[in-house]
Amino acid sequence: MKSIGILLFLLSTLTFADGLQKPKDTKVLADEMVEHFSKKEFKQGLALAKAYWPLPPVEIDSLANQISTQWPIVDQRFGETTGYEFVQEERIGKSFIRYYYLHKFQNHAIYWQLTFYKPLDKWLVNGVTFQDSLETLFQVVK
């Protein structure tokens, strides 16, 4: 089982050797980032995005520090993490993809929003945010 995990990690790393070429590459990266976020590994999760995000690395590190500084409030209000789940994908034409993930806690949930942009031939990370208001995720059930 351990060798399968290592193989999958190597395959995902090899997939990104030429950048984020396909939408499925952005989904794999987003999944890996949120996996780290769910473990309070914000620096590691954002580090995965550095090669594909046209922000200076110091700004990405600053974002990780801001999240880490704010997180004790999340822990206090919402309790321990109970898991996460992918909930939604949105697109604008062939140029933007946005993924939403619920990060579940004992008392509430937040969502992570990861946005990717394709200006030419490769996808770039365009933004990473989290929110505790879930209104945008609710859908009318008929």
Side-chain angles (χ1 to χ4, degrees):
M1 193 64 155
K2 203 178 223 183
S3 60
I4 292 173
I6 293 170
L7 178 61
L8 289 174
F9 172 76
L10 290 174
L11 287 175
S12 68
T13 303
L14 292 175
T15 302
F16 302 148
D18 294 326
L20 302 171
Q21 298 286 329
K22 299 178 181 179
K24 70 178 181 177
D25 298 337
T26 65
K27 180 67 166 65
V28 170
L29 178 59
D31 288 346
E32 290 177 3
M33 291 172 67
V34 173
E35 173 74 25
H36 282 288
F37 299 160
S38 73
K39 298 175 187 175
K40 301 182 193 178
E41 299 171 351
F42 308 111
K43 189 170 184 166
Q44 295 91 327
L46 290 171
L48 294 173
K50 283 183 179 180
Y52 317 106
W53 202 343
L55 283 179
V58 69
E59 287 187 41
I60 298 170
D61 292 339
S62 177
L63 177 59
N65 290 333
Q66 285 178 331
I67 295 170
S68 294
T69 300
Q70 295 171 352
W71 209 256
I73 296 168
V74 173
D75 283 337
Q76 181 182 11
R77 287 184 183 167
F78 304 143
E80 293 293 318
T81 294
T82 60
Y84 70 93
E85 65 181 277
F86 172 77
V87 292
Q88 186 172 312
E89 174 183 321
E90 296 177 333
R91 293 184 185 227
I92 301 174
K94 295 180 181 179
S95 299
F96 281 91
I97 299 175
R98 179 175 287 162
Y99 301 112
Y100 295 89
Y101 295 80
L102 276 181
H103 186 158
K104 301 186 293 186
F105 300 89
Q106 292 170 323
N107 303 321
H108 187 54
I110 64 169
Y111 72 87
W112 290 95
Q113 176 182 297
L114 291 84
T115 306
F116 295 85
Y117 172 55
K118 185 177 181 182
L120 295 170
D121 60 344
K122 294 181 183 176
W123 289 94
L124 303 173
V125 175
N126 189 254
V128 175
T129 61
F130 72 91
Q131 300 288 328
D132 65 349
S133 174
L134 304 176
E135 291 305 312
T136 60
L137 296 181
F138 278 98
Q139 299 174 6
V140 176
V141 178
K142 297 179 181 184

